[in-house]
Amino acid sequence: MRVLNCAGARRQLEAYHDEELTISQQIEVSAHLEWCDSCAETLAGLRQLRAEVRSAAPGRAAEVVEASIDVRA
């Protein structure tokens, strides 16, 4: 396992947040976040942004669920 510096970790934070990394990449970023408060704060900001976007369009999730139910029926 390679050790990431902040630049390497930040390049991968969005993909890490979206669970798009390989297992080994997830482990590398996660290990970096354990000791780097700055990168951990950046990830927390991404999570906050995601929560705000989801709360701004509360009916959107219901439409997607309803559409998938209709397709299965």
Side-chain angles (χ1 to χ4, degrees), residues 3-66:
V3 176
L4 291 178
N5 60 20
C6 289
R10 286 183 186 213
R11 279 193 298 272
Q12 296 184 47
L13 274 183
E14 287 185 35
Y16 177 82
H17 174 265
D18 295 338
E19 299 176 359
E20 298 172 341
L21 298 178
T22 64
I23 300 276
S24 61
Q25 290 171 320
Q26 290 175 32
I27 292 169
E28 290 170 354
V29 174
S30 181
H32 179 82
L33 293 171
E34 286 183 24
W35 62 266
C36 181
D37 293 337
S38 177
C39 289
E41 286 178 23
T42 301
L43 178 62
L46 287 172
R47 289 180 173 156
Q48 179 64 35
L49 178 61
R50 177 171 153 184
E52 289 174 11
V53 168
R54 285 187 174 186
S55 69
R60 180 81 174 133
E63 291 175 18
V64 172
V65 172
E66 290 173 13

